[in-house]
mmCIF file of all heavy atoms in Angstrom:
data_model
loop_
_atom_site.group_PDB
_atom_site.id
_atom_site.type_symbol
_atom_site.label_atom_id
_atom_site.label_comp_id
_atom_site.label_asym_id
_atom_site.label_seq_id
_atom_site.Cartn_x
_atom_site.Cartn_y
_atom_site.Cartn_z
ATOM 1 N N LYS A 1122 -23.714 3.582 -60.731
ATOM 2 C CA LYS A 1122 -24.334 2.258 -60.692
ATOM 3 C C LYS A 1122 -25.758 2.320 -61.219
ATOM 4 O O LYS A 1122 -26.307 3.389 -61.437
ATOM 5 C CB LYS A 1122 -24.327 1.709 -59.259
ATOM 6 C CG LYS A 1122 -22.933 1.493 -58.688
ATOM 7 C CD LYS A 1122 -23.000 0.869 -57.311
ATOM 8 C CE LYS A 1122 -21.612 0.644 -56.748
ATOM 9 N NZ LYS A 1122 -21.651 0.014 -55.389
ATOM 10 N N GLU A 1123 -26.341 1.133 -61.397
ATOM 11 C CA GLU A 1123 -27.711 1.073 -61.904
ATOM 12 C C GLU A 1123 -28.713 1.277 -60.767
ATOM 13 O O GLU A 1123 -28.401 1.089 -59.587
ATOM 14 C CB GLU A 1123 -27.942 -0.282 -62.575
ATOM 15 C CG GLU A 1123 -27.105 -0.492 -63.813
ATOM 16 C CD GLU A 1123 -27.467 -1.779 -64.546
ATOM 17 O OE1 GLU A 1123 -28.248 -2.574 -63.996
ATOM 18 O OE2 GLU A 1123 -26.969 -1.974 -65.669
ATOM 19 N N ARG A 1124 -29.914 1.643 -61.171
ATOM 20 C CA ARG A 1124 -30.993 1.813 -60.215
ATOM 21 C C ARG A 1124 -31.358 0.457 -59.612
ATOM 22 O O ARG A 1124 -31.411 -0.550 -60.320
ATOM 23 C CB ARG A 1124 -32.208 2.437 -60.896
ATOM 24 C CG ARG A 1124 -33.260 2.945 -59.951
ATOM 25 C CD ARG A 1124 -34.361 3.685 -60.701
ATOM 26 N NE ARG A 1124 -33.851 4.849 -61.412
ATOM 27 C CZ ARG A 1124 -34.635 5.744 -62.000
ATOM 28 N NH1 ARG A 1124 -35.951 5.625 -61.937
ATOM 29 N NH2 ARG A 1124 -34.109 6.768 -62.633
ATOM 30 N N GLU A 1125 -31.624 0.454 -58.315
ATOM 31 C CA GLU A 1125 -31.937 -0.798 -57.634
ATOM 32 C C GLU A 1125 -33.085 -0.603 -56.654
ATOM 33 O O GLU A 1125 -33.294 0.492 -56.119
ATOM 34 C CB GLU A 1125 -30.705 -1.315 -56.862
ATOM 35 C CG GLU A 1125 -30.191 -0.374 -55.792
ATOM 36 C CD GLU A 1125 -28.919 -0.860 -55.120
ATOM 37 O OE1 GLU A 1125 -28.431 -1.955 -55.442
ATOM 38 O OE2 GLU A 1125 -28.419 -0.122 -54.243
ATOM 39 N N LEU A 1126 -33.807 -1.673 -56.432
ATOM 40 C CA LEU A 1126 -34.910 -1.641 -55.478
ATOM 41 C C LEU A 1126 -34.377 -1.476 -54.051
ATOM 42 O O LEU A 1126 -33.373 -2.085 -53.679
ATOM 43 C CB LEU A 1126 -35.714 -2.943 -55.565
ATOM 44 C CG LEU A 1126 -36.783 -3.159 -54.505
ATOM 45 C CD1 LEU A 1126 -37.923 -2.176 -54.690
ATOM 46 C CD2 LEU A 1126 -37.296 -4.595 -54.556
ATOM 47 N N VAL A 1127 -35.071 -0.646 -53.268
ATOM 48 C CA VAL A 1127 -34.778 -0.541 -51.841
ATOM 49 C C VAL A 1127 -35.866 -1.271 -51.054
ATOM 50 O O VAL A 1127 -35.579 -2.168 -50.263
ATOM 51 C CB VAL A 1127 -34.703 0.924 -51.394
ATOM 52 C CG1 VAL A 1127 -34.469 1.004 -49.886
ATOM 53 C CG2 VAL A 1127 -33.623 1.671 -52.165
ATOM 54 N N ALA A 1128 -37.124 -0.873 -51.280
ATOM 55 C CA ALA A 1128 -38.230 -1.468 -50.530
ATOM 56 C C ALA A 1128 -39.538 -1.202 -51.262
ATOM 57 O O ALA A 1128 -39.665 -0.208 -51.981
ATOM 58 C CB ALA A 1128 -38.307 -0.894 -49.116
ATOM 59 N N LEU A 1129 -40.491 -2.102 -51.059
ATOM 60 C CA LEU A 1129 -41.820 -1.974 -51.637
ATOM 61 C C LEU A 1129 -42.851 -2.244 -50.562
ATOM 62 O O LEU A 1129 -42.614 -3.044 -49.647
ATOM 63 C CB LEU A 1129 -42.040 -2.990 -52.758
ATOM 64 C CG LEU A 1129 -41.507 -2.698 -54.148
ATOM 65 C CD1 LEU A 1129 -41.747 -3.902 -55.050
ATOM 66 C CD2 LEU A 1129 -42.173 -1.470 -54.731
ATOM 67 N N ILE A 1130 -44.021 -1.614 -50.710
ATOM 68 C CA ILE A 1130 -45.154 -1.924 -49.857
ATOM 69 C C ILE A 1130 -46.380 -2.046 -50.745
ATOM 70 O O ILE A 1130 -46.637 -1.182 -51.590
ATOM 71 C CB ILE A 1130 -45.344 -0.872 -48.740
ATOM 72 C CG1 ILE A 1130 -46.489 -1.277 -47.820
ATOM 73 C CG2 ILE A 1130 -45.541 0.527 -49.310
ATOM 74 C CD1 ILE A 1130 -46.519 -0.466 -46.509
ATOM 75 N N THR A 1131 -47.104 -3.143 -50.597
ATOM 76 C CA THR A 1131 -48.257 -3.389 -51.454
ATOM 77 C C THR A 1131 -49.493 -2.682 -50.915
ATOM 78 O O THR A 1131 -49.499 -2.163 -49.792
ATOM 79 C CB THR A 1131 -48.545 -4.889 -51.552
ATOM 80 O OG1 THR A 1131 -49.033 -5.354 -50.278
ATOM 81 C CG2 THR A 1131 -47.296 -5.674 -51.941
ATOM 82 N N SER A 1132 -50.543 -2.717 -51.709
ATOM 83 C CA SER A 1132 -51.795 -2.109 -51.278
ATOM 84 C C SER A 1132 -52.344 -2.805 -50.035
ATOM 85 O O SER A 1132 -53.071 -2.190 -49.250
ATOM 86 C CB SER A 1132 -52.819 -2.174 -52.413
ATOM 87 O OG SER A 1132 -53.014 -3.528 -52.804
ATOM 88 N N GLY A 1133 -51.971 -4.065 -49.861
ATOM 89 C CA GLY A 1133 -52.415 -4.804 -48.691
ATOM 90 C C GLY A 1133 -51.529 -4.620 -47.473
ATOM 91 O O GLY A 1133 -51.830 -5.134 -46.389
ATOM 92 N N GLY A 1134 -50.429 -3.897 -47.654
ATOM 93 C CA GLY A 1134 -49.545 -3.620 -46.527
ATOM 94 C C GLY A 1134 -48.346 -4.539 -46.405
ATOM 95 O O GLY A 1134 -47.517 -4.362 -45.511
ATOM 96 N N SER A 1135 -48.217 -5.496 -47.307
ATOM 97 C CA SER A 1135 -47.042 -6.371 -47.272
ATOM 98 C C SER A 1135 -45.822 -5.593 -47.729
ATOM 99 O O SER A 1135 -45.905 -4.765 -48.635
ATOM 100 C CB SER A 1135 -47.251 -7.583 -48.185
ATOM 101 O OG SER A 1135 -48.346 -8.349 -47.735
ATOM 102 N N THR A 1136 -44.698 -5.884 -47.101
ATOM 103 C CA THR A 1136 -43.463 -5.169 -47.425
ATOM 104 C C THR A 1136 -42.394 -6.121 -47.933
ATOM 105 O O THR A 1136 -42.384 -7.319 -47.606
ATOM 106 C CB THR A 1136 -42.929 -4.418 -46.200
ATOM 107 O OG1 THR A 1136 -42.725 -5.344 -45.129
ATOM 108 C CG2 THR A 1136 -43.896 -3.333 -45.763
ATOM 109 N N ASN A 1137 -41.500 -5.558 -48.711
ATOM 110 C CA ASN A 1137 -40.391 -6.326 -49.271
ATOM 111 C C ASN A 1137 -39.161 -5.432 -49.256
ATOM 112 O O ASN A 1137 -39.221 -4.299 -49.749
ATOM 113 C CB ASN A 1137 -40.718 -6.761 -50.699
ATOM 114 C CG ASN A 1137 -39.611 -7.569 -51.328
ATOM 115 O OD1 ASN A 1137 -38.873 -8.258 -50.638
ATOM 116 N ND2 ASN A 1137 -39.481 -7.487 -52.633
ATOM 117 N N TYR A 1138 -38.076 -5.919 -48.684
ATOM 118 C CA TYR A 1138 -36.847 -5.146 -48.567
ATOM 119 C C TYR A 1138 -35.684 -5.881 -49.215
ATOM 120 O O TYR A 1138 -35.572 -7.105 -49.136
ATOM 121 C CB TYR A 1138 -36.487 -4.920 -47.097
ATOM 122 C CG TYR A 1138 -37.466 -4.093 -46.305
ATOM 123 C CD1 TYR A 1138 -38.516 -4.683 -45.621
ATOM 124 C CD2 TYR A 1138 -37.314 -2.708 -46.228
ATOM 125 C CE1 TYR A 1138 -39.409 -3.922 -44.895
ATOM 126 C CE2 TYR A 1138 -38.198 -1.934 -45.496
ATOM 127 C CZ TYR A 1138 -39.244 -2.553 -44.827
ATOM 128 O OH TYR A 1138 -40.122 -1.788 -44.096
ATOM 129 N N ARG A 1139 -34.803 -5.110 -49.823
ATOM 130 C CA ARG A 1139 -33.518 -5.669 -50.206
ATOM 131 C C ARG A 1139 -32.717 -5.925 -48.938
ATOM 132 O O ARG A 1139 -32.921 -5.293 -47.899
ATOM 133 C CB ARG A 1139 -32.766 -4.705 -51.119
ATOM 134 C CG ARG A 1139 -33.374 -4.562 -52.496
ATOM 135 C CD ARG A 1139 -33.198 -5.801 -53.342
ATOM 136 N NE ARG A 1139 -31.790 -6.138 -53.502
ATOM 137 C CZ ARG A 1139 -30.970 -5.565 -54.370
ATOM 138 N NH1 ARG A 1139 -31.414 -4.610 -55.160
ATOM 139 N NH2 ARG A 1139 -29.706 -5.932 -54.440
ATOM 140 N N ASP A 1140 -31.771 -6.840 -49.072
ATOM 141 C CA ASP A 1140 -31.011 -7.235 -47.880
ATOM 142 C C ASP A 1140 -30.332 -6.051 -47.197
ATOM 143 O O ASP A 1140 -30.290 -5.962 -45.973
ATOM 144 C CB ASP A 1140 -29.956 -8.283 -48.255
ATOM 145 C CG ASP A 1140 -30.570 -9.660 -48.474
ATOM 146 O OD1 ASP A 1140 -31.746 -9.842 -48.087
ATOM 147 O OD2 ASP A 1140 -29.893 -10.533 -49.025
ATOM 148 N N PHE A 1141 -29.802 -5.106 -47.993
ATOM 149 C CA PHE A 1141 -29.064 -3.990 -47.386
ATOM 150 C C PHE A 1141 -29.988 -3.062 -46.596
ATOM 151 O O PHE A 1141 -29.532 -2.267 -45.777
ATOM 152 C CB PHE A 1141 -28.299 -3.182 -48.447
ATOM 153 C CG PHE A 1141 -29.173 -2.516 -49.472
ATOM 154 C CD1 PHE A 1141 -29.858 -1.352 -49.179
ATOM 155 C CD2 PHE A 1141 -29.303 -3.062 -50.744
ATOM 156 C CE1 PHE A 1141 -30.658 -0.735 -50.121
ATOM 157 C CE2 PHE A 1141 -30.093 -2.456 -51.697
ATOM 158 C CZ PHE A 1141 -30.786 -1.281 -51.381
ATOM 159 N N ALA A 1142 -31.299 -3.157 -46.857
ATOM 160 C CA ALA A 1142 -32.254 -2.274 -46.200
ATOM 161 C C ALA A 1142 -32.900 -2.912 -44.964
ATOM 162 O O ALA A 1142 -33.455 -2.196 -44.121
ATOM 163 C CB ALA A 1142 -33.343 -1.861 -47.180
ATOM 164 N N LYS A 1143 -32.825 -4.206 -44.900
ATOM 165 C CA LYS A 1143 -33.453 -4.895 -43.765
ATOM 166 C C LYS A 1143 -32.808 -4.445 -42.456
ATOM 167 O O LYS A 1143 -31.608 -4.302 -42.364
ATOM 168 C CB LYS A 1143 -33.309 -6.410 -43.940
ATOM 169 C CG LYS A 1143 -34.141 -6.968 -45.074
ATOM 170 C CD LYS A 1143 -33.942 -8.464 -45.230
ATOM 171 C CE LYS A 1143 -34.768 -9.003 -46.388
ATOM 172 N NZ LYS A 1143 -34.544 -10.449 -46.610
ATOM 173 N N ASP A 1144 -33.624 -4.259 -41.444
ATOM 174 C CA ASP A 1144 -33.196 -3.884 -40.081
ATOM 175 C C ASP A 1144 -32.733 -2.439 -39.966
ATOM 176 O O ASP A 1144 -32.459 -1.973 -38.857
ATOM 177 C CB ASP A 1144 -32.064 -4.808 -39.580
ATOM 178 C CG ASP A 1144 -32.479 -6.257 -39.522
ATOM 179 O OD1 ASP A 1144 -33.654 -6.517 -39.190
ATOM 180 O OD2 ASP A 1144 -31.644 -7.117 -39.823
ATOM 181 N N ARG A 1145 -32.602 -1.709 -41.093
ATOM 182 C CA ARG A 1145 -32.208 -0.300 -41.020
ATOM 183 C C ARG A 1145 -33.268 0.632 -41.591
ATOM 184 O O ARG A 1145 -33.413 1.761 -41.135
ATOM 185 C CB ARG A 1145 -30.886 -0.075 -41.763
ATOM 186 C CG ARG A 1145 -29.703 -0.815 -41.178
ATOM 187 C CD ARG A 1145 -28.403 -0.336 -41.823
ATOM 188 N NE ARG A 1145 -28.379 -0.533 -43.261
ATOM 189 C CZ ARG A 1145 -28.074 0.419 -44.146
ATOM 190 N NH1 ARG A 1145 -27.801 1.634 -43.741
ATOM 191 N NH2 ARG A 1145 -28.064 0.147 -45.445
ATOM 192 N N PHE A 1146 -33.969 0.171 -42.628
ATOM 193 C CA PHE A 1146 -34.953 1.011 -43.317
ATOM 194 C C PHE A 1146 -36.356 0.475 -43.057
ATOM 195 O O PHE A 1146 -36.552 -0.740 -42.917
ATOM 196 C CB PHE A 1146 -34.712 1.011 -44.819
ATOM 197 C CG PHE A 1146 -33.407 1.618 -45.266
ATOM 198 C CD1 PHE A 1146 -33.097 1.645 -46.619
ATOM 199 C CD2 PHE A 1146 -32.507 2.162 -44.369
ATOM 200 C CE1 PHE A 1146 -31.907 2.210 -47.060
ATOM 201 C CE2 PHE A 1146 -31.316 2.722 -44.795
ATOM 202 C CZ PHE A 1146 -31.011 2.727 -46.151
ATOM 203 N N THR A 1147 -37.317 1.385 -43.013
ATOM 204 C CA THR A 1147 -38.716 0.991 -42.859
ATOM 205 C C THR A 1147 -39.561 1.751 -43.860
ATOM 206 O O THR A 1147 -39.524 2.985 -43.892
ATOM 207 C CB THR A 1147 -39.219 1.287 -41.442
ATOM 208 O OG1 THR A 1147 -38.401 0.611 -40.480
ATOM 209 C CG2 THR A 1147 -40.660 0.812 -41.283
ATOM 210 N N ILE A 1148 -40.311 1.006 -44.666
ATOM 211 C CA ILE A 1148 -41.227 1.635 -45.611
ATOM 212 C C ILE A 1148 -42.620 1.611 -45.004
ATOM 213 O O ILE A 1148 -43.017 0.640 -44.343
ATOM 214 C CB ILE A 1148 -41.194 0.921 -46.986
ATOM 215 C CG1 ILE A 1148 -41.964 1.737 -48.024
ATOM 216 C CG2 ILE A 1148 -41.697 -0.513 -46.884
ATOM 217 C CD1 ILE A 1148 -41.776 1.242 -49.457
ATOM 218 N N SER A 1149 -43.354 2.689 -45.227
ATOM 219 C CA SER A 1149 -44.722 2.764 -44.741
ATOM 220 C C SER A 1149 -45.529 3.645 -45.682
ATOM 221 O O SER A 1149 -44.966 4.342 -46.524
ATOM 222 C CB SER A 1149 -44.765 3.316 -43.309
ATOM 223 O OG SER A 1149 -44.233 4.626 -43.263
ATOM 224 N N ARG A 1150 -46.842 3.580 -45.521
ATOM 225 C CA ARG A 1150 -47.692 4.390 -46.374
ATOM 226 C C ARG A 1150 -48.864 4.932 -45.576
ATOM 227 O O ARG A 1150 -49.333 4.299 -44.629
ATOM 228 C CB ARG A 1150 -48.185 3.594 -47.586
ATOM 229 C CG ARG A 1150 -48.990 2.364 -47.238
ATOM 230 C CD ARG A 1150 -49.225 1.486 -48.456
ATOM 231 N NE ARG A 1150 -50.170 2.075 -49.391
ATOM 232 C CZ ARG A 1150 -50.449 1.560 -50.585
ATOM 233 N NH1 ARG A 1150 -49.845 0.456 -50.989
ATOM 234 N NH2 ARG A 1150 -51.319 2.134 -51.380
ATOM 235 N N ASP A 1151 -49.297 6.106 -45.968
ATOM 236 C CA ASP A 1151 -50.490 6.725 -45.398
ATOM 237 C C ASP A 1151 -51.504 6.817 -46.523
ATOM 238 O O ASP A 1151 -51.385 7.672 -47.396
ATOM 239 C CB ASP A 1151 -50.146 8.101 -44.827
ATOM 240 C CG ASP A 1151 -51.326 8.764 -44.128
ATOM 241 O OD1 ASP A 1151 -52.484 8.476 -44.498
ATOM 242 O OD2 ASP A 1151 -51.087 9.584 -43.230
ATOM 243 N N ASN A 1152 -52.462 5.919 -46.512
ATOM 244 C CA ASN A 1152 -53.418 5.872 -47.618
ATOM 245 C C ASN A 1152 -54.271 7.127 -47.688
ATOM 246 O O ASN A 1152 -54.651 7.572 -48.775
ATOM 247 C CB ASN A 1152 -54.305 4.633 -47.493
ATOM 248 C CG ASN A 1152 -53.536 3.353 -47.752
ATOM 249 O OD1 ASN A 1152 -52.584 3.340 -48.535
ATOM 250 N ND2 ASN A 1152 -53.924 2.277 -47.097
ATOM 251 N N ALA A 1153 -54.572 7.702 -46.548
ATOM 252 C CA ALA A 1153 -55.399 8.906 -46.539
ATOM 253 C C ALA A 1153 -54.689 10.071 -47.220
ATOM 254 O O ALA A 1153 -55.322 10.900 -47.870
ATOM 255 C CB ALA A 1153 -55.768 9.270 -45.101
ATOM 256 N N LYS A 1154 -53.375 10.119 -47.059
ATOM 257 C CA LYS A 1154 -52.582 11.191 -47.656
ATOM 258 C C LYS A 1154 -51.963 10.779 -48.976
ATOM 259 O O LYS A 1154 -51.290 11.584 -49.623
ATOM 260 C CB LYS A 1154 -51.479 11.633 -46.701
ATOM 261 C CG LYS A 1154 -51.981 12.241 -45.397
ATOM 262 C CD LYS A 1154 -50.814 12.679 -44.528
ATOM 263 C CE LYS A 1154 -51.288 13.316 -43.241
ATOM 264 N NZ LYS A 1154 -50.153 13.751 -42.372
ATOM 265 N N ASN A 1155 -52.171 9.519 -49.373
ATOM 266 C CA ASN A 1155 -51.558 8.995 -50.596
ATOM 267 C C ASN A 1155 -50.054 9.271 -50.616
ATOM 268 O O ASN A 1155 -49.498 9.780 -51.607
ATOM 269 C CB ASN A 1155 -52.220 9.593 -51.843
ATOM 270 C CG ASN A 1155 -52.750 8.520 -52.759
ATOM 271 O OD1 ASN A 1155 -52.865 7.354 -52.388
ATOM 272 N ND2 ASN A 1155 -53.074 8.894 -53.972
ATOM 273 N N THR A 1156 -49.429 8.941 -49.522
ATOM 274 C CA THR A 1156 -48.010 9.223 -49.347
ATOM 275 C C THR A 1156 -47.287 7.957 -48.890
ATOM 276 O O THR A 1156 -47.818 7.200 -48.068
ATOM 277 C CB THR A 1156 -47.807 10.341 -48.309
ATOM 278 O OG1 THR A 1156 -48.467 11.527 -48.771
ATOM 279 C CG2 THR A 1156 -46.340 10.639 -48.091
ATOM 280 N N VAL A 1157 -46.107 7.763 -49.430
ATOM 281 C CA VAL A 1157 -45.261 6.651 -49.012
ATOM 282 C C VAL A 1157 -43.996 7.229 -48.386
ATOM 283 O O VAL A 1157 -43.477 8.258 -48.839
ATOM 284 C CB VAL A 1157 -44.935 5.710 -50.190
ATOM 285 C CG1 VAL A 1157 -44.216 6.428 -51.313
ATOM 286 C CG2 VAL A 1157 -44.162 4.484 -49.723
ATOM 287 N N TYR A 1158 -43.535 6.563 -47.337
ATOM 288 C CA TYR A 1158 -42.386 7.041 -46.584
ATOM 289 C C TYR A 1158 -41.286 5.988 -46.578
ATOM 290 O O TYR A 1158 -41.541 4.795 -46.708
ATOM 291 C CB TYR A 1158 -42.781 7.335 -45.131
ATOM 292 C CG TYR A 1158 -43.912 8.311 -44.974
ATOM 293 C CD1 TYR A 1158 -45.219 7.867 -44.808
ATOM 294 C CD2 TYR A 1158 -43.680 9.684 -44.995
ATOM 295 C CE1 TYR A 1158 -46.273 8.753 -44.662
ATOM 296 C CE2 TYR A 1158 -44.722 10.584 -44.850
ATOM 297 C CZ TYR A 1158 -46.015 10.114 -44.685
ATOM 298 O OH TYR A 1158 -47.048 11.000 -44.548
ATOM 299 N N LEU A 1159 -40.059 6.449 -46.400
ATOM 300 C CA LEU A 1159 -38.942 5.550 -46.165
ATOM 301 C C LEU A 1159 -38.129 6.124 -45.016
ATOM 302 O O LEU A 1159 -37.466 7.150 -45.171
ATOM 303 C CB LEU A 1159 -38.068 5.397 -47.416
ATOM 304 C CG LEU A 1159 -36.937 4.384 -47.279
ATOM 305 C CD1 LEU A 1159 -37.516 2.960 -47.184
ATOM 306 C CD2 LEU A 1159 -35.974 4.480 -48.462
ATOM 307 N N GLN A 1160 -38.222 5.478 -43.879
ATOM 308 C CA GLN A 1160 -37.413 5.852 -42.729
ATOM 309 C C GLN A 1160 -36.084 5.113 -42.828
ATOM 310 O O GLN A 1160 -36.063 3.874 -42.900
ATOM 311 C CB GLN A 1160 -38.128 5.481 -41.431
ATOM 312 C CG GLN A 1160 -37.320 5.757 -40.172
ATOM 313 C CD GLN A 1160 -37.107 7.240 -39.931
ATOM 314 O OE1 GLN A 1160 -38.028 8.040 -40.078
ATOM 315 N NE2 GLN A 1160 -35.883 7.621 -39.554
ATOM 316 N N MET A 1161 -35.002 5.868 -42.855
ATOM 317 C CA MET A 1161 -33.679 5.277 -43.006
ATOM 318 C C MET A 1161 -32.850 5.588 -41.771
ATOM 319 O O MET A 1161 -32.619 6.767 -41.457
ATOM 320 C CB MET A 1161 -32.993 5.831 -44.261
ATOM 321 C CG MET A 1161 -33.798 5.605 -45.533
ATOM 322 S SD MET A 1161 -32.889 6.075 -47.021
ATOM 323 C CE MET A 1161 -32.762 7.845 -46.783
ATOM 324 N N ASN A 1162 -32.428 4.548 -41.081
ATOM 325 C CA ASN A 1162 -31.608 4.690 -39.880
ATOM 326 C C ASN A 1162 -30.235 4.063 -40.108
ATOM 327 O O ASN A 1162 -30.043 3.293 -41.051
ATOM 328 C CB ASN A 1162 -32.300 4.015 -38.696
ATOM 329 C CG ASN A 1162 -33.651 4.625 -38.374
ATOM 330 O OD1 ASN A 1162 -33.869 5.823 -38.533
ATOM 331 N ND2 ASN A 1162 -34.576 3.795 -37.908
ATOM 332 N N SER A 1163 -29.321 4.405 -39.226
ATOM 333 C CA SER A 1163 -27.966 3.829 -39.282
ATOM 334 C C SER A 1163 -27.381 3.940 -40.692
ATOM 335 O O SER A 1163 -26.846 2.974 -41.242
ATOM 336 C CB SER A 1163 -27.999 2.358 -38.843
ATOM 337 O OG SER A 1163 -28.524 2.232 -37.541
ATOM 338 N N LEU A 1164 -27.482 5.108 -41.268
ATOM 339 C CA LEU A 1164 -27.042 5.297 -42.647
ATOM 340 C C LEU A 1164 -25.544 5.109 -42.788
ATOM 341 O O LEU A 1164 -24.764 5.448 -41.883
ATOM 342 C CB LEU A 1164 -27.463 6.676 -43.136
ATOM 343 C CG LEU A 1164 -28.960 6.763 -43.490
ATOM 344 C CD1 LEU A 1164 -29.415 8.208 -43.545
ATOM 345 C CD2 LEU A 1164 -29.237 6.069 -44.814
ATOM 346 N N LYS A 1165 -25.154 4.547 -43.917
ATOM 347 C CA LYS A 1165 -23.760 4.247 -44.220
ATOM 348 C C LYS A 1165 -23.333 5.040 -45.453
ATOM 349 O O LYS A 1165 -24.164 5.503 -46.238
ATOM 350 C CB LYS A 1165 -23.611 2.754 -44.498
ATOM 351 C CG LYS A 1165 -24.116 1.852 -43.385
ATOM 352 C CD LYS A 1165 -24.011 0.389 -43.784
ATOM 353 C CE LYS A 1165 -24.525 -0.525 -42.681
ATOM 354 N NZ LYS A 1165 -24.433 -1.952 -43.076
ATOM 355 N N PHE A 1166 -22.014 5.144 -45.636
ATOM 356 C CA PHE A 1166 -21.493 5.827 -46.818
ATOM 357 C C PHE A 1166 -22.112 5.254 -48.093
ATOM 358 O O PHE A 1166 -22.455 6.003 -49.015
ATOM 359 C CB PHE A 1166 -19.969 5.696 -46.882
ATOM 360 C CG PHE A 1166 -19.230 6.420 -45.809
ATOM 361 C CD1 PHE A 1166 -18.450 5.735 -44.905
ATOM 362 C CD2 PHE A 1166 -19.290 7.811 -45.719
ATOM 363 C CE1 PHE A 1166 -17.754 6.412 -43.911
ATOM 364 C CE2 PHE A 1166 -18.599 8.496 -44.731
ATOM 365 C CZ PHE A 1166 -17.827 7.784 -43.814
ATOM 366 N N GLU A 1167 -22.239 3.939 -48.137
ATOM 367 C CA GLU A 1167 -22.721 3.284 -49.355
ATOM 368 C C GLU A 1167 -24.213 3.484 -49.616
ATOM 369 O O GLU A 1167 -24.728 3.042 -50.645
ATOM 370 C CB GLU A 1167 -22.395 1.783 -49.324
ATOM 371 C CG GLU A 1167 -22.865 1.068 -48.077
ATOM 372 C CD GLU A 1167 -21.765 0.939 -47.027
ATOM 373 O OE1 GLU A 1167 -21.004 1.913 -46.838
ATOM 374 O OE2 GLU A 1167 -21.684 -0.131 -46.385
ATOM 375 N N ASP A 1168 -24.910 4.150 -48.689
ATOM 376 C CA ASP A 1168 -26.308 4.498 -48.938
ATOM 377 C C ASP A 1168 -26.443 5.772 -49.771
ATOM 378 O O ASP A 1168 -27.567 6.147 -50.151
ATOM 379 C CB ASP A 1168 -27.059 4.673 -47.619
ATOM 380 C CG ASP A 1168 -27.178 3.380 -46.833
ATOM 381 O OD1 ASP A 1168 -27.451 2.331 -47.461
ATOM 382 O OD2 ASP A 1168 -26.999 3.415 -45.596
#
């Protein structure tokens, strides 16, 4: 399949999730470490 968006977080901290990621995935960032994270819970085969 083609590449698709999962989640985004802006410099201001606003987040945007695709429907399949809502309520299961959480995006966050650590500005001090310049690192972005994606916590994925309740993973499914289709993930």
